[in-house]
Amino acid sequence: MQETRQNKIARLFQKELSLIFQSQTRMMHGVMVSVTRAKVSPDLSVCTAYLSVFPSEKAEEIISNVNTNIKTIRYDLGKRVGKQVRIIPELRFFIDDSLDYIEHIDELLAK
């Protein structure tokens, strides 16, 4: 039963974080950030989100920007989902490089 709630909350956070990043990256022309996956700890106190950045060359720059502005992102998330959850979790962001990995495998198979 607990896992079902975790999945629902993770999907909610994924959706809201993607909307936050979508509104923030409109100012940065040529960069697209999407939240590919979100996981929530069993006590709902930590949310781990995986970000996919296009173009991937700017991924390190974007993730460092996100980590410096993590308090603002958490505040924006709290304004959006404050009525639905009791505690706004601590946020952790990581780069999701699975698309780059798939592209690398395709290149190797093409050779």
Side-chain angles (χ1 to χ4, degrees), residues 5 10-11 13 19-20 32 34 41-43 45 49 51-53 59 62-63 65 73 90 92-94 100-101 105:
R5 177 161 170 76
R11 277 182 278 156
F13 290 151
L19 292 174
I20 290 170
M32 185 174 74
S34 60
S41 64
D43 62 350
S45 65
L51 304 178
S52 177
V53 180
I62 295 293
I63 202 74
N65 255 351
I73 296 168
E90 172 189 339
R92 296 182 184 159
F93 294 102
F94 296 101
D100 294 336
Y101 180 73
I105 296 295

Side-chain angles (χ1 to χ4, degrees), residues 6 10 12 20 45 63-64 73 77 81 92 94 98 103 108:
Q6 276 179 273
L12 173 69
I20 290 170
S45 65
I63 202 74
S64 66
I73 296 168
L77 182 66
V81 299
R92 296 182 184 159
F94 296 101
S98 60
E103 185 177 315
L108 291 176

Side-chain angles (χ1 to χ4, degrees), residues 45-90:
S45 65
V46 178
C47 177
T48 305
Y50 294 90
L51 304 178
S52 177
V53 180
F54 182 80
S56 59
E57 294 83 33
K58 295 189 177 190
E60 291 296 326
E61 176 188 346
I62 295 293
I63 202 74
S64 66
N65 255 351
V66 166
N67 285 327
T68 56
N69 296 317
I70 206 160
K71 289 182 181 181
T72 307
I73 296 168
R74 186 176 180 200
Y75 176 76
D76 290 342
L77 182 66
K79 286 193 327 189
R80 290 174 174 261
V81 299
K83 303 289 184 194
Q84 298 169 352
V85 293
R86 190 174 296 164
I87 298 171
I88 305 303
E90 172 189 339

